[in-house]
Amino acid sequence: MASHVLDFSTYYNIIDNKLTSTAITRHGINPANAQPNPEVPISTQADLDQAVEAAQKAFKIWSKTSFEERRAALHAYADAIEANAEKLAQILTMEQGKPLTQSSAEVGMAPGWIRGLSALEIPRNVIEETEEKTIIQRYTPIGVAAAIVPWNFPVLLAIGKIVSAVYTGNTVIVKPSPFTPYCGLKLVELATHSFPPGVVQCLSGDDTLGPMITEHPGIDKISFTGSILTGKRVMASCAKTLKRVTLELGGNDPAIICEDVDIDAVIPKVGILSYLCSAQICMMIKRLYVHEKIYDEFMEKLVAFVKTLKVGDGTGADIFFGPVQNKMQYEKAKELFGSITTENLKAALGGTIEDSTGYFIHPTIIDNPPEDSRVVHEEPFAPILPVLKWSDEEDVIDRANALETGLGSSVWCSDLDRASRIADQLQSGVVWVNSHFQVAPNAPFGGHKQSGMGVEWGLSGLLAYCNSQTQWLNKSP
Ligand code: NAD
């Protein structure tokens, strides 16, 4: 196990299980203090070509290994991540800004995802069995996959893609976000101890690398998580070579609070699930619809609860709100906060962004804004939460479903029949009753409408890394 403990001071690409660097390098920024993080490679077309060649070569052998062999390698990988979990969590806070408790939780989920996904059985379906013939449907690996990862959940999202790809017999090239390359590079450096050369590789780069990957004719499958705008570009690029593509995109999740809830029990849950990671999670509560009968009390208690959550450098004890991840996001948030004044909205908490060295934003709650205000129909990816009143069930369902996004949604209600009736009418890839943002390796997640194409995780997520093959086995020639 000792050999798997990594040095976290220098960062390399991982190509064919070798640590390589590039002539030109760059660095991310620690969002808590705007200081530069260590240098990382800027991969070129030649680096990508080399990685693709290694991945294609490795695929020939890896695709023929058994599920048991792959599972054993994945379990060793999970152990190696556990041995490095504390340091990985510190690096995650350094690069992403989220508080250490949340970084530790994200890193801590990774081994469970590895073991959980690799526990699923890929089926071999007998469709018809007669005296003359057998028809079966089986699943085969696609080839070389590329995992394009965003900056908000860089560990868990990378791990979900790596595991799904290699467990199903593919090889994979990981591309972390230029904003958060550090954990991605180290996760793949660790993978060199568990997988043969070329099976799991990682390239860090600037904004040119993503398009190079989606254009590359030697890559067969793209799993992309990121914004809707970029997702459309990825799909257009993949169309040229008809790459398989899975898109996990932005969301603007509604939560519907019914009048029969236990307000005191629900407030801390809803407060946390609206603001984790400074609200930079795709499946956070981003529109909170509260029944008018309890609206005033709910609002008062929500404001009181959110006020108790501390803002500061994520390395500090009991911090809940770290900085937002990057300057671009900070400036976007400032611009959106401007709409509080221009659209004449009422802030029940916060409402302004003070200048600071790091990218800190104090939580803001907007009191019953119009449905067409920007804070309601745009995905803020910053700690600003619109709380809206409702009275009629059909009307609130229509409002919840009104947007082009459909990632997650939730219903909070003591009457479970009523909750299910509402849940059944919500247009999103995941619906929770009395919770939000619950995830598990064996449960698929993905978006409806413009929140994505296909799903990841669960058996359906694994099958997205496979080709379907139907075999007709006729018994007499
Ligand atoms: P982004 O779209 O800017 O970038 C995502 C990744 O794509 C990065 O690695 C980036 O370098 C790369 N990229 C950028 N342009 C590219 C191109 N033309 N071709 C290929 N790759 C390219 O997204 P972001 O700002 O990093 O992440 C935030 C967004 O991601 C939010 O909208 C959020 O809701 C969404 N998100 C969705 C999920 C989900 O599972 N549905 C999960 C997390 C985040």
Side-chain angles (χ1 to χ4, degrees), residues 12-13 15 20-26 40-44 47 204:
Y12 302 97
N13 278 340
I15 300 177
T20 66
S21 204
T22 51
I24 306 173
T25 57
R26 58 175 297 280
V40 291
I42 301 183
S43 304
T44 60
D47 296 310
S204 128

Side-chain angles (χ1 to χ4, degrees), residues 66-272:
S66 67
F67 284 102
E68 288 69 33
E69 285 170 273
R70 295 176 206 155
R71 195 175 292 129
L74 283 161
H75 283 198
Y77 184 40
D79 294 343
I81 292 176
E82 264 165 1
N84 288 273
E86 197 180 330
K87 194 66 194 169
L88 280 166
Q90 287 165 8
I91 298 299
L92 182 54
T93 291
M94 174 194 86
E95 66 174 328
Q96 208 286 333
K98 63 179 71 178
L100 257 180
T101 44
Q102 294 177 35
S103 292
S104 300
E106 183 179 341
V107 173
M109 288 163 91
W113 252 247
I114 298 173
R115 297 185 187 112
L117 276 165
S118 63
L120 299 172
E121 295 289 337
I122 304 293
R124 180 179 180 278
N125 302 322
V126 178
I127 294 169
E128 194 179 309
E129 173 93 77
T130 61
E131 274 178 21
E132 293 84 45
K133 65 178 184 298
T134 308
I135 309 174
I136 61 163
Q137 181 190 27
R138 61 194 282 269
Y139 293 96
T140 61
I142 296 173
V144 178
I148 302 182
V149 183
W151 48 257
N152 63 343
F153 251 65
V155 170
L156 190 65
L157 295 175
I159 285 295
K161 294 176 197 298
I162 293 170
V163 182
S164 303
V166 302
Y167 179 56
T168 48
N170 301 277
T171 53
V172 63
I173 299 169
V174 181
K175 191 203 87 63
S177 164
F179 290 115
T180 54
Y182 300 95
C183 283
L185 288 167
K186 286 297 161 191
L187 285 171
V188 176
E189 192 178 324
L190 262 185
T192 61
H193 298 284
S194 308
F195 300 96
V199 174
V200 185
Q201 305 181 89
C202 187
L203 297 176
S204 128
D206 59 16
D207 291 342
T208 60
L209 182 58
M212 265 189 240
I213 289 176
T214 57
E215 293 287 313
H216 203 293
I219 294 175
D220 308 293
K221 151 94 191 183
I222 299 284
S223 170
F224 171 84
T225 304
S227 62
I228 292 174
L229 185 69
T230 313
K232 289 178 182 173
R233 290 189 186 130
V234 166
M235 196 160 166
S237 171
C238 289
K240 293 181 203 160
T241 45
L242 286 181
K243 286 181 179 56
R244 277 41 182 166
V245 55
T246 302
L247 302 175
E248 297 289 352
L249 309 178
N252 196 344
D253 291 9
I256 298 172
I257 314 284
C258 296
E259 66 277 25
D260 66 352
V261 296
D262 174 346
I263 296 178
D264 293 321
V266 161
I267 287 289
K269 294 181 192 163
V270 166
I272 300 283

Side-chain angles (χ1 to χ4, degrees), residues 254 256 287 289 371 376 390 392-405 422 425-427 449:
I256 298 172
R287 296 177 287 148
Y289 291 94
E371 203 70 31
V376 178
W390 69 276
D392 177 70
E393 191 175 298
E394 212 173 304
D395 177 58
V396 77
I397 293 168
D398 284 346
R399 289 159 74 191
N401 289 337
L403 303 182
E404 284 306 321
T405 46
I422 298 174
Q425 297 174 74
L426 292 172
Q427 297 166 354
K449 302 191 268 187

Side-chain angles (χ1 to χ4, degrees), residues 31-33 96-97 99 151 274-280 306-307 309-314 319-338 340 349-366 375 379-385:
N33 55 26
Q96 208 286 333
W151 48 257
S274 304
Y275 288 115
L276 269 173
C277 195
S278 289
Q280 303 166 106
V306 176
K307 271 186 186 167
L309 303 174
K310 285 195 189 152
V311 182
D313 185 325
I319 294 297
F320 180 80
F321 287 99
V324 294
Q325 200 278 323
N326 58 65
K327 189 155 189 345
M328 181 192 72
Q329 199 56 46
Y330 188 57
E331 297 302 331
K332 267 168 92 174
K334 279 187 180 166
E335 205 268 322
L336 182 62
F337 271 61
I340 299 174
L349 178 70
T352 52
I353 299 181
E354 313 292 333
D355 281 336
S356 60
T357 317
Y359 310 135
F360 294 101
I361 303 179
H362 284 261
T364 287
I365 297 177
I366 304 296
V375 288
E379 180 189 31
F381 243 48
I384 177 167
L385 177 72

Side-chain angles (χ1 to χ4, degrees), residues 40-71:
V40 291
I42 301 183
S43 304
T44 60
Q45 184 71 48
D47 296 310
L48 177 60
D49 290 345
Q50 219 187 323
V52 171
E53 200 182 312
Q56 287 174 326
K57 197 168 144 222
F59 177 73
K60 288 194 179 146
I61 300 165
W62 185 251
S63 57
K64 295 190 181 76
T65 55
S66 67
F67 284 102
E68 288 69 33
E69 285 170 273
R70 295 176 206 155
R71 195 175 292 129

